[in-house]
Amino acid sequence: MSGRLSGQRVIVLGASSGLGLAVAREAVREDAEVMIVSSQIARIEKALAMLGPKAQGCALDLGDESAIERFFNICGAFDHMVYTAGDALQLAPLAGTNLQTARSAFEIRYWGAMAAAKYGARNLRPGGSLTLTTGIAAQKPHANWTLVASVCGAVEALTRALAVELAPIRVNAVSPGVVATNLWSGMTEDACQSMYADLAAKLPVGRVGSAEDVAAAYLFLMTSGFATGQVHTVDGGGVLM
């Protein structure tokens, strides 16, 4: 039987690992043709080996606006674009935050997403969608998360603004809670496992999330033709804690 995305083309920016790769995998399972985009060709090749013949890949610096423009000038038409690109989280007390360094946190997560929307929207077919990625820090920040919460809040505002400006293209965002991915690569393995265990004991679902848990939300937003301007939280009940 045909999948929910049969005959459709999906571009996933930031798709060589973590959430992006999980979204690409789910899109392929739903019979889509998928283009994965990331900065590291070696990771793209590894991801393509897992995704199979319905997937293609392209190396692209998502911090380079001109490169993003060139990519969309040649990539052709598509039905859905998903933006999951991001770098390791910068967690630090405000007093010790170097503001020049802090500005770089917006480069991929916010400015890259805006550039992708700016140049990619014109290639979206009628009925198409754009799904961005934020995080529950915008709703429930913790101490030392001021910078991360600021970026997440900016992406939420961008989502709503784009839904108005780019209509009838549908624009939404997924807001994950703590998910066991390489997002936490800046922490030691022991620190990661300790954090996961502590959260699992507190979360209503009794565990931290997986990339596959969150990927389902992107698939929902791609295929739900009446959803736009929404931030879909997938956090195991984290905002309730």
Side-chain angles (χ1 to χ4, degrees), residues 94-105:
L94 178 62
T97 299
N98 180 291
L99 294 185
Q100 188 61 44
T101 302
R103 289 183 178 94
S104 67

Side-chain angles (χ1 to χ4, degrees), residues 89-92 105 109 134-135 137-138 144-154:
L89 298 179
Q90 297 184 33
L91 305 178
R109 296 177 183 274
T134 177
N144 302 336
W145 283 61
T146 297
L147 177 57
V148 174
S150 299
V151 176
C152 291

Side-chain angles (χ1 to χ4, degrees), residues 143-232:
N144 302 336
W145 283 61
T146 297
L147 177 57
V148 174
S150 299
V151 176
C152 291
V155 174
E156 288 197 9
L158 177 64
T159 299
R160 290 186 285 269
L162 290 176
V164 174
E165 181 162 348
L166 299 181
I169 293 170
R170 295 182 298 104
V171 184
N172 297 288
V174 173
S175 179
V178 174
V179 181
T181 68
N182 59 349
L183 179 68
W184 310 100
S185 60
M187 298 173 64
T188 66
E189 180 64 20
D190 286 346
C192 267
Q193 294 305 318
S194 176
M195 178 181 71
Y196 295 157
D198 288 346
L199 281 168
K202 298 173 183 175
L203 287 171
V205 297
R207 63 179 178 87
V208 297
S210 68
E212 289 70 26
D213 288 325
V214 182
Y218 292 90
L219 267 291
F220 165 74
L221 292 171
M222 278 189 267
T223 57
S224 180
F226 203 52
T228 194
Q230 302 302 304
V231 178
H232 191 334

Side-chain angles (χ1 to χ4, degrees), residues 29-193:
R29 287 176 180 165
E30 293 293 344
D31 209 22
E33 294 183 3
V34 177
M35 167 73 78
I36 63 170
V37 178
S38 184
S39 60
Q40 299 182 35
I41 189 64
R43 290 171 66 174
I44 291 172
E45 291 172 349
K46 184 177 179 181
L48 290 176
M50 291 186 282
L51 293 171
K54 291 186 73 70
Q56 298 176 306
C58 177
L60 176 64
D61 179 0
L62 291 169
D64 184 339
E65 181 182 355
S66 296
I68 293 171
E69 180 179 17
R70 288 193 299 271
F71 169 77
F72 284 110
N73 282 342
I74 63 174
C75 78
F78 52 90
D79 300 278
H80 305 284
M81 177 166 61
V82 174
Y83 193 93
T84 63
D87 43 18
L89 298 179
Q90 297 184 33
L91 305 178
L94 178 62
T97 299
N98 180 291
L99 294 185
Q100 188 61 44
T101 302
R103 289 183 178 94
S104 67
F106 284 82
E107 194 63 44
I108 300 297
R109 296 177 183 274
Y110 179 82
W111 292 115
M114 181 179 282
K118 176 181 178 180
Y119 297 110
R122 59 196 179 198
N123 292 9
L124 277 162
R125 294 178 178 131
S129 73
L130 165 60
T131 309
L132 305 180
T133 304
T134 177
I136 63 168
Q139 303 171 61
K140 188 176 181 180
H142 299 285
N144 302 336
W145 283 61
T146 297
L147 177 57
V148 174
S150 299
V151 176
C152 291
V155 174
E156 288 197 9
L158 177 64
T159 299
R160 290 186 285 269
L162 290 176
V164 174
E165 181 162 348
L166 299 181
I169 293 170
R170 295 182 298 104
V171 184
N172 297 288
V174 173
S175 179
V178 174
V179 181
T181 68
N182 59 349
L183 179 68
W184 310 100
S185 60
M187 298 173 64
T188 66
E189 180 64 20
D190 286 346
C192 267
Q193 294 305 318

Side-chain angles (χ1 to χ4, degrees), residues 9-36:
R9 187 173 183 229
V10 178
I11 293 183
V12 187
L13 299 142
S16 63
S17 65
L19 291 182
L21 180 56
V23 172
R25 187 182 296 116
E26 292 302 310
V28 167
R29 287 176 180 165
E30 293 293 344
D31 209 22
E33 294 183 3
V34 177
M35 167 73 78
I36 63 170

